[in-house]
Amino acid sequence: MDCELIILETSDIHGTIFPINYGTNQEINAGFAKIATIISQEKQKHDHTLLIDNGDVIQGTPLTYHYAKFLYDKKNPIIRIMNELHYDAAIIGNHEFNYGLELLNRSVDASNFPWLSANSLNQHRAEPYFSKPYLIKEFENGLRIAVLGVTTHYIPNWENPNHIKALEFADAFETTKKWVDYLQKNEQYDLLVVSYHGGFERDLVTGEPTESLTGENQGYRICQEIDGIDVLLTGHQHRRLTGELHGKTILQPGFNGQALGKVTIPFSFQNGNWQVEQKTSEIIEVTDSIATDNNLLKLAADFENQTQEWLDQPIGEIVGDMTISDPFEVRLKDHPLIEFINQVQMDAAGVAISNTALFHNESPGFSSNVTMRDIVSNYIYPNTLKVIRISGQDIKDALEKCATYFVLDENKKPQVNPSFVEPKPQHYNYDMWEGIEYELNIAKPVGYRVVKLNFKSQPMDLSGQYEVVMNNYRAGGGGDYEMFKDKPVIKEIQTDMTELLADYFLKRKTVYATCNENWKVTY
């Protein structure tokens, strides 16, 4: 008597249901409606399947944003779809908290499957907040699979404190070690799966660190130091990974539903026990040949229609040019779009210094007639703002960090530092500032590239204190901006930046594109 187990993993879906790019409404190969077709095919072919979402599923598209802001009294369309697909479990990801704990709790309550996160703790009782750290699924033939869920514990560095005030996050590695030991001593199972909303902090081949060892990602250490794990499902980094690491089968299936992760494990029944014969992991990519599950789309059709109407609302006009033709050029010298976003932040916060990023290379900028679709196409994260008090030296250190975004090629031409592209694109970790005047000379060694730094046309006082507005992710030190971490918070603006940008247009109707060229990159 033999059997074969198939583990199917989605991760970092980020609210993608419909296979479209909301900026253009062009069809793309992504989302639940395409992934569902593959899931159905796999379940039809195999008798023993386990379907797990690894986190960051309920946030990320205009549809989920519109639902959270305007339709939150209705059942979450993401949960309706996951229930329809008969997920066995979901893991709490860091972006699950972006719309607040009330919406998350309602989503968890509406789910026909458990949400697992052994290290997301109720701060008053030091026990798992989401009720279950693990599950054990038993099939009709007696095969028992244990699944332990863990979440990156770095969440307090990014999230709005009001969204997580009932929780604390224990170290993911230590929690995994604790619960693996517990399971080994107290449960009977034939395979142990750890589903970790986190990634790998080291190169999988060489073991060399690929990021600052902050604890945000601990997948390599989990594989290296914790015995007893058979399969480690990962996410958070938006990578596509398969293979073996220190005896564990690893898998990470990318993001936005562009692919499905699959682990195949044949078992044999020997001496009254199920024995693992082998383990293989693979990525099944969503392609043009994968049909869209239109029945699934019907579950979210009403939400989608209302979202599309909202996106097409005209909110203002631009006089001048805020469009983007080359995102790399935007990062080399001041651009009207970046100046505008910084101006909105300074207006909202009432301070004279601001920083922001061009978050992704698909940002189109603003054409002459601006709609909500334009807003969400350029500002893709549900960030809020913080004003923190930092020193002139902190500002200089941050600019030196920004300057590491660039390297020079053999022709002495600027290129993006590979560390900002691999293993995960991090263009959002390069900031551009308003309210100061500065110059970065990237021909100079790292750490010595800030060759000009003025405030109000005078050299900045490095020992002086300045109030600066930035998004909540950066203010918490996100992106390895350690100089901002734990600095005094002078003010918090809890309105999402998308709303602040839209309100700025709605109040003024007409916005003029300006560019004071207060900064540049030389080489």
Side-chain angles (χ1 to χ4, degrees), residues 66 306 308-316 370-373:
H66 185 262
Q306 293 184 64
Q308 289 290 348
E309 291 179 9
W310 174 70
L311 287 172
D312 286 332
Q313 290 178 5
I315 58 174
V370 180
T371 64
M372 280 303 303
R373 192 182 305 279

Side-chain angles (χ1 to χ4, degrees), residues 188-209:
Q188 296 294 319
Y189 54 86
D190 303 296
L191 188 87
L192 175 55
V193 178
V194 173
S195 191
Y196 167 45
H197 189 80
F200 296 93
E201 73 279 27
R202 295 180 180 272
D203 184 278
L204 299 186
V205 176
T206 67
E208 291 296 314

